[in-house]
Every structure is written in structure tokens, then in C-alpha cells.
Amino acid sequence: MVEIKTDANLLLMREAGRVVARALEAVREKAAPGVTTAELDQVAREVLAAAGAGSPFLGYHPDWAPVPFPAVLCLSVNDAVVHGVPDGTRLADGDLVSADCGAVLGGWVGDSAVSFTVGRARPEDTRLIDTAYEALEAGIAAAVVGNRIGDVAHAIGRVCRRAGYGIPDGFGGHGVGRTMHEDPGVPNEGRPGRGMPLRHGMVIAIEPMLIGGGDDHHYTARDGWTVRTADGSRAAHTEHTVAITDDGPRILTAP
């Protein structure tokens, strides 16, 4: 079931989205060679606490996971696509980092992700990250009243495939509202003109995930959470929470 949000609801969701944006900005500023991923998680915790916000990630325990998620931030480094668990791993110069964060404020959720390089970037990583943001922008542009979920999925997938990148099957965006994962699902590849029609008041998380080597295959690491590329190539992940409105898509997690 898809909950249609009122304009007042969207304003409240925007406040949650602002907290997420501040947390990700702080994490990106802190990220440097020698900093641990656990330290970055602490940075995000402090931003959430200062805003009086909770985390939809901390303690999240879907039936496929062996243990609840132990952090407020997913930090996926290099060949990790999504769901990386913060720990004592120290970042190195040239690492590609994808940071995914959520916030719960006033009973509403915001969810967003960024990808960036620590220190000196490799040209191939810069292209991968830039394409991930291009795919995100294409998905957002397609998120208009009268289009369908398939139009959003097709826009994302077309950018990724044209650039020669893989798309991990089974992962994609989702509805957002009072909880982090709601209907409808938003795939990162699909056929235009198919799927649920988009209506004013729907809110979705659009989140392209790209595998640099071009292979779609992936596996889950021994921690039961971190999803890694099967070919060992690097990955990038971007995401915004987006409201569908009669005036066009509204990014609720923009800085």
C-alpha cells in the first residue's frame, strides 16, 4: 500500500531530509586517509543527536540479516556496493567511499547517499561517481506526475548501461515516509510506461548503484550485510528522497 503524503507531511519530511544532508556533509568533510569508518559513523551520530533525530538504520533487522544493523551509517568502501558496516577499517588515499544515511524526525524519515573519493581520485573512479550522479539526476527528472515507476527505472538504467557499468540485481529504491522502506519499489532498470503511476504526494527514494567492471553479479560478505562486487571492481551509490508533486520532483534530502 502506498501512502499519499499531504503538503504538510512533505514539509515535515523535508526537515528530516535536511538532517540527513547535514550528516552526510559532515561525514564527507571528516573522511581522510587514516580515519576509520567507525569514526565517520560517530560523526553522523553526533549530527543526528544534535538535531533530536533518530536513525532508521540503527537496529534495523530484516529477516534476511543475521544480526541487526549496528550503526547509523552504511559505509561501503571500494568494491562494497551497499550496506557496508562501519568498523575499525582505516581509509586510505584513493579509496572510493559510498555513505548512506537516514534520519527520523517528527515521525518522518529521510534517506540519502553520496559517493566520493578520499584524497587523490583515480580517473576511472571519478567517471564512475559522476555517472552515478548522472543516473540519479535522470531518475529524478523522470519522477513526474503522469509517469510511471518504469519510467524512473528506465532513466536510471539507460545512463548506467550506456556508460558500460553493471547494475546489481535485486537492489534499488523504495517508498519513504513514516518508515524507511515503503511501497513502491523503485528498480534501477526497467521498461518505460510500466509500473505504478506517479501521483502528487508520493515519496520515493531513488538510488542508483553502479558496478565499475560492468558485471551485475555481487555477493554478501561474511558480516551478513556488506554487498560486494563479484568481480572485485569498485562501485558507487547515490540516493535522494524525492517527493512527486504537481510542480515537479522535489528533493527532500538536498543540502
Side-chain angles (χ1 to χ4, degrees):
M1 178 179 170
V2 175
E3 179 184 12
I4 301 300
K5 281 72 175 179
T6 66
D7 291 345
N9 294 156
L10 297 183
L11 291 176
L12 294 173
M13 291 193 70
R14 174 59 175 144
E15 292 309 307
R18 290 182 197 275
V19 176
V20 175
R22 289 199 298 271
L24 289 174
E25 182 178 11
V27 166
R28 187 166 185 165
E29 289 178 354
K30 177 69 174 179
V35 174
T36 69
T37 54
E39 288 172 331
L40 295 183
D41 183 67
Q42 183 59 35
V43 168
R45 287 174 187 253
E46 291 171 0
V47 174
L48 295 183
S55 170
F57 290 12
L58 184 62
Y60 179 61
H61 195 183
D63 56 13
W64 49 262
V67 295
F69 195 75
V72 304
L73 200 65
C74 292
L75 278 169
S76 305
V77 181
N78 295 333
D79 66 322
V81 185
V82 288
H83 301 164
V85 180
D87 57 18
T89 301
R90 295 190 181 277
L91 297 177
D93 186 58
D95 277 349
L96 194 166
V97 177
S98 295
D100 189 357
C101 186
V104 183
L105 187 66
W108 297 96
V109 175
D111 188 9
S112 184
V114 297
S115 284
F116 56 89
T117 301
V118 175
R120 293 169 293 181
R122 306 190 310 182
E124 57 268 37
D125 289 346
T126 298
R127 178 175 178 267
L128 176 63
I129 292 169
D130 287 348
T131 304
Y133 281 106
E134 182 184 349
L136 177 61
E137 291 172 358
I140 293 170
V144 297
V145 172
N147 271 359
R148 293 175 176 268
I149 290 293
D151 295 304
V152 177
H154 176 72
I156 295 168
R158 181 173 53 185
V159 171
C160 299
R161 295 301 189 189
R162 283 181 175 177
Y165 295 129
I167 301 172
D169 184 46
F171 292 89
H174 47 85
V176 184
R178 301 177 194 274
T179 62
M180 178 170 57
H181 292 143
E182 298 183 352
D183 291 334
V186 186
N188 284 327
E189 193 168 30
R191 297 179 62 181
R194 299 294 184 90
M196 181 177 292
L198 302 179
R199 296 173 50 194
H200 177 90
M202 290 176 62
V203 180
I204 57 176
I206 298 174
E207 51 178 322
M209 302 169 197
L210 285 65
I211 296 178
D215 191 331
D216 293 356
H217 295 92
H218 52 84
Y219 69 96
T220 302
R222 294 179 63 182
D223 62 19
W225 279 100
T226 307
V227 176
R228 297 189 178 278
T229 63
D231 61 6
S233 65
R234 294 189 171 192
H237 172 208
T238 57
E239 178 183 16
H240 269 310
T241 297
V242 180
I244 314 300
T245 80
D246 290 330
D247 296 323
R250 186 185 308 169
I251 302 174
L252 301 180
T253 45

